[in-house]
Amino acid sequence: MKEVHINLPDGAERTFPEGTTVGEIINTIGIQNGTIGARVNGALVDFWHEIYSDSELEPVKTGSEAGLALIRHTAAHIMAEAVQSLFPEAKVTIGPVIENGFYYDFEYPRGFTPEDLEKIEEKMREIAEQKKPLVRKKVSREKAIDIFSSEGENYKVEIVNGLPPDQQITIYEQGGWHDLCRGPHAPSTGYVKAFKLLSIAGAYWRGDEKNPMLQRIYGTAFWDRKELKAYLDRLEEAKKRDHRKVGRELDLFSIQEETGAGLVLWHPKGSRIRRVIEDFWRDQHERFDYELLYTPHIAKIDLWKTSGHLEFYSENMYPRMEVENTEFQIKPMNCPFHIMIYKTGIRSYRDLPLRWAEIGTVYRYERSGVLHGLLRVRGFSQDDAHIFCRPDQMEDEVLGVLDLTILFLKTFGFDDYEVYLSTRPEKFVGRVEGWDRATEALRSALDKKGLKYEVDEGGGAFYGPKIDLKIKDVLGRAWQCSTVQVDFNLPERFDMSYVGEDNARHQPIMIHRAIFGSMERFFGVLIEHYGGAFPLWLSPVQVRIATVGDEQAPYADEIYRTLRSRKIRVENDKRNEKLGLKVREAQLAKIPYLLVVGKNEAETGTVAPRKLGGKNLPPTTIDEFLHYIAVELDPHTWREVERQ
């Protein structure tokens, strides 16, 4: 029998017969204690994984992040068994591990209820305590179809029929229950000790609205109850910060069925914040030598044929329209318009780089099932920019983009982010040399900025390599926002050129760049990051005046006019209500400063400031108050106050 060589983390090498399982190797070398699975050549596997070639094996221990995926996958199977034990009519479909948990989709005649989840959880605990071994069995395609057909599991039959002819089919059993599954899993149900079912949602089979609607049960699992509780506490905090809830409470925006799903209506207060963001955006872009553009919302269909969007992106585009026997398309992207501006004249190598930016509204068709508040919409405004440069300018331009991006993220309160460098995929346009040069320019820029990053090998777009930045909010959640992409495709499709120093035509490098990604998505992230309690410079209402009695109304009006003249966003609460009510309402509205005006303040020409959170400041004149908040009003310095 052929043998395979297994390299272990301590440098030792062991030899085993071909086809030996990871579990057999673990038992043989005596490291089974505390081991729940393994990584074989970097891939996470369970004890049933068979090895047929020389490999590197690293044990995965209990308590590890890698082992958590095995726990969660097993928890999903425990949940499915519990559901079918309690509700025999339920059919199972798929049940994968996802970030922070797992889910399973079921077909069941009636909707599951919160009470059902409690029963399912209790049954799951019983199954976990029984410590049922998870056993993998290899079966033929015909056998798998026979098994699931006899059980009425038509979804499983459909999955099997859709598998490639050469794919090995495996079933995992736990006691008397089984499911079609590739694994990997924990050795037994006993490893699953701390879990919680979180929610119920609808999901179309295979994500297609033409297919039956299924019920998706979400859950999570951790190594122990302490970790589970910490996660559930974070979930509760996230619910409080949900931008849809906070946006409604603070009257920032709405999305209404009468207007259209995924189409955002910015209310006055939300619009104020957007205006502040856009003004800062424009000021900084001009400081970084960008020119600002405006482009139409539609274009003739030929433009989208040339760009390739009609060929490669049509499923995300709205239907075309016909006007005067000419077909037009509402824009899903801004790029072709910027290219057409470039092509209005002959460009010299001396003209480059050209940095053009636009807050351009685009429209993309998203399935209704994936729409999510401001985070996934159908109409949104990209903070788009395109840089046209020579190859020798590429690295410096990427450095400039990174400088501007980091400035923006820090200004808005984001210091923690994940960075990814995505390289050439199998299918690509352009020459390998150009890809290598572009990738090295991106890599060098990241290194010079001292940014830690992960390389996503083969993860680049077909038209060029890219850098992605995911910002982390106050709860540690990562959000995709900023991106820098090199493009070899569009310059070629549009026959772009510049006259080089040699008087010959050369193709420019095109760099796509967005910092926020979209105004809508970034605003949603901002709301959740701050829970609606925005820093003073961003707050839609920065100051509210609250009178104690009607006799202070004239003085309150005087303060109001003074603050308005100083560009302060201020409200004047002169209602005949108790001060306690006014204070509570200002707190709920998350207004940074409440200026209380009573008899004494009116007589002395002062105000009594009260900060959001309840801190009372000494009585002060308006000029002194404005001096006090000056640092908080400046987007470049407000965080100095935050750190104090």
Side-chain angles (χ1 to χ4, degrees):
M1 181 179 290
K2 184 179 177 182
E3 293 186 328
V4 294
H5 298 279
I6 305 298
N7 293 316
L8 302 173
D10 62 2
E13 181 182 295
R14 300 289 293 272
T15 303
F16 295 90
E18 184 184 56
T20 301
T21 66
V22 166
E24 291 168 337
I25 294 173
I26 295 293
N27 286 329
T28 301
I29 61 180
I31 58 172
Q32 64 270 35
N33 289 340
T35 301
I36 191 173
R39 287 194 182 278
V40 174
N41 298 326
L44 182 65
V45 300
D46 60 24
F47 287 169
W48 293 100
H49 179 80
E50 297 164 340
I51 298 181
Y52 290 93
S53 61
D54 295 347
S55 302
E56 293 185 358
L57 185 148
E58 178 186 359
V60 170
K61 298 292 186 178
T62 55
S64 67
E65 189 67 28
L68 202 50
L70 303 177
I71 291 293
R72 288 171 174 165
H73 198 174
T74 302
H77 277 225
I78 294 173
M79 178 178 73
E81 179 184 352
V83 168
Q84 293 198 304
S85 174
L86 295 168
F87 310 97
E89 295 178 61
K91 296 180 181 181
V92 295
T93 61
I94 58 171
V97 175
I98 57 175
E99 185 179 7
N100 294 322
F102 58 88
Y103 71 78
Y104 235 108
D105 287 346
F106 301 92
E107 183 189 85
Y108 185 57
R110 70 164 176 82
F112 291 120
T113 65
E115 292 74 25
D116 291 335
L117 291 193
E118 293 179 8
K119 295 175 184 177
I120 295 167
E121 274 190 14
E122 184 58 38
K123 192 66 178 178
M124 289 176 67
R125 279 188 279 274
E126 292 179 19
I127 296 169
E129 288 169 1
Q130 292 170 17
K131 300 181 180 179
K132 299 180 181 182
L134 273 86
V135 180
R136 186 182 71 174
K137 293 186 176 180
K138 291 185 281 187
V139 297
S140 66
R141 181 180 299 269
E142 294 74 20
K143 179 68 172 176
I145 291 174
D146 286 344
I147 291 172
F148 292 111
S149 294
S150 67
E151 296 169 347
E153 296 284 5
N154 52 295
Y155 294 99
K156 295 297 178 181
V157 174
E158 182 179 332
I159 292 172
V160 173
N161 283 326
L163 295 175
D166 59 344
Q167 182 164 329
Q168 185 183 80
I169 297 174
T170 57
I171 291 174
Y172 275 79
E173 292 185 349
Q174 52 196 52
W177 186 88
H178 58 244
D179 194 12
L180 179 74
C181 184
R182 290 181 297 181
H185 283 280
S188 81
T189 63
Y191 283 82
V192 181
K193 301 180 185 299
F195 57 86
K196 179 69 177 175
L197 300 186
L198 302 172
S199 62
I200 308 163
Y204 290 108
W205 170 236
R206 298 191 183 276
D208 189 339
E209 55 261 36
K210 297 177 183 177
N211 289 334
M213 172 66 80
L214 306 174
Q215 293 185 70
R216 177 171 294 176
I217 299 179
Y218 286 97
T220 191
F222 287 86
W223 287 109
D224 56 44
R225 297 194 178 279
K226 182 179 178 181
E227 290 181 348
L228 176 61
K229 183 181 183 303
Y231 176 72
L232 295 177
D233 288 345
R234 290 197 301 274
L235 278 186
E236 283 303 309
E237 182 62 29
K239 288 179 183 178
K240 295 177 186 175
R241 293 169 175 265
D242 188 309
H243 73 280
R244 295 165 298 182
K245 172 179 176 289
V246 175
R248 182 174 59 253
E249 292 171 347
L250 299 185
D251 195 23
L252 300 176
F253 72 93
S254 64
I255 299 172
Q256 302 176 30
E257 192 59 38
E258 294 86 348
T259 307
L263 301 176
V264 181
L265 301 175
W266 292 74
H267 294 201
K269 290 180 180 177
S271 297
R272 288 178 209 162
I273 299 175
R274 175 167 174 164
R275 188 184 71 244
V276 172
I277 295 172
E278 289 188 0
D279 287 347
F280 180 81
W281 185 91
R282 292 187 180 93
D283 289 344
Q284 297 308 309
H285 277 74
E286 289 179 348
R287 191 166 73 86
F288 274 71
D289 292 328
Y290 282 77
E291 297 286 348
L292 304 185
L293 307 179
Y294 296 92
T295 59
H297 288 236
I298 62 173
K300 290 172 64 175
I301 202 72
D302 293 344
L303 187 72
W304 309 108
K305 289 179 181 178
T306 302
S307 69
H309 286 97
L310 210 61
E311 181 180 358
F312 298 110
Y313 203 71
S314 59
E315 65 180 21
N316 294 102
M317 296 167 69
Y318 276 93
R320 63 191 71 176
M321 64 189 83
E322 186 172 312
V323 180
E324 296 179 346
N325 298 319
T326 301
E327 288 187 312
F328 287 83
Q329 176 70 54
I330 194 166
K331 68 175 177 179
M333 297 187 185
N334 301 303
C335 337
F337 294 98
H338 294 195
I339 292 172
M340 296 309 295
I341 295 173
Y342 181 97
K343 287 172 64 68
T344 56
I346 298 173
R347 309 292 177 178
S348 163
Y349 71 96
R350 294 188 181 91
D351 299 326
L352 305 183
L354 294 172
R355 306 183 190 100
W356 291 343
E358 174 184 16
I359 299 176
T361 301
V362 299
Y363 301 88
R364 299 178 188 174
Y365 170 68
E366 298 280 4
R367 295 177 185 272
S368 57
V370 302
L371 297 176
H372 181 72
L374 296 174
L375 305 180
R376 195 77 174 265
V377 294
R378 288 175 172 168
F380 55 94
S381 299
Q382 285 187 308
D383 67 315
D384 223 349
H386 297 97
I387 300 171
F388 304 99
C389 64
R390 306 189 306 264
D392 62 289
Q393 296 171 322
M394 187 165 35
E395 182 179 327
D396 285 341
E397 291 307 306
V398 173
L399 277 169
V401 170
L402 292 177
D403 284 339
L404 185 57
T405 300
I406 292 169
L407 167 65
F408 269 85
L409 297 184
K410 286 187 174 181
T411 298
F412 287 93
F414 299 103
D415 292 313
D416 192 9
Y417 31 81
E418 300 170 351
V419 185
Y420 299 88
L421 171 62
S422 301
T423 62
R424 187 177 71 247
E426 288 187 15
K427 294 182 179 180
F428 62 93
V429 298
R431 294 184 296 274
V432 172
E433 314 88 74
W435 270 85
D436 290 345
R437 184 170 186 174
T439 304
E440 184 53 37
L442 296 181
R443 190 190 308 272
S444 178
L446 288 171
D447 290 338
K448 287 181 178 178
K449 291 302 299 178
L451 294 172
K452 294 181 180 179
Y453 59 92
E454 294 183 27
V455 177
D456 180 11
E457 295 290 354
F462 74 93
Y463 52 78
K466 62 176 181 172
I467 295 171
D468 288 322
L469 281 84
K470 293 183 178 181
I471 58 177
K472 286 192 174 182
D473 67 13
V474 70
L475 297 181
R477 298 171 299 178
W479 305 87
Q480 173 63 54
C481 285
S482 309
T483 187
V484 188
Q485 302 176 351
V486 178
D487 188 349
F488 302 110
N489 179 51
L490 288 180
E492 184 173 330
R493 278 181 169 271
F494 281 92
D495 192 28
M496 298 177 69
S497 67
Y498 65 90
V499 178
E501 199 169 1
D502 56 359
N503 287 322
R505 292 176 75 242
H506 299 270
Q507 185 173 291
I509 298 292
M510 183 176 185
I511 298 174
H512 302 256
R513 186 240 68 189
I515 295 175
F516 299 141
S518 81
M519 285 294 175
E520 287 73 9
R521 180 177 175 80
F522 187 71
F523 187 42
V525 174
L526 272 181
I527 293 172
E528 300 208 4
H529 183 58
Y530 291 111
F534 300 102
L536 185 65
W537 74 280
L538 268 179
S539 185
V541 178
Q542 296 169 317
V543 176
R544 180 180 285 179
I545 305 163
T547 55
V548 174
D550 291 341
E551 58 273 18
Q552 289 91 47
Y555 179 55
D557 289 338
E558 181 184 332
I559 296 170
Y560 177 81
R561 289 191 294 271
T562 300
L563 293 176
R564 288 271 294 179
S565 70
R566 304 288 185 91
K567 307 292 187 184
I568 301 297
R569 298 186 288 277
V570 58
E571 291 180 345
N572 198 358
D573 188 352
K574 300 182 292 181
R575 295 174 299 161
N576 185 20
E577 298 286 356
K578 292 182 178 180
L579 180 61
L581 175 66
K582 295 181 179 183
V583 170
R584 285 194 300 275
E585 288 184 348
Q587 293 286 311
L588 290 174
K590 303 186 188 299
I591 297 172
Y593 286 95
L594 181 69
L595 301 185
V596 177
V597 176
K599 180 180 179 182
N600 183 62
E601 284 78 24
E603 291 175 350
T604 59
T606 60
V607 293
R610 181 185 179 93
K611 294 189 71 170
L612 179 62
K615 181 181 178 182
N616 291 317
L617 302 178
T620 182
T621 66
I622 282 297
D623 284 341
E624 289 171 339
F625 172 70
L626 289 171
H627 179 75
Y628 175 81
I629 65 173
V631 172
E632 293 181 74
L633 289 171
D634 187 336
H636 300 287
T637 59
W638 71 272
R639 300 191 72 189
E640 294 177 15
V641 175
E642 185 190 48
R643 296 187 182 98
Q644 292 175 1

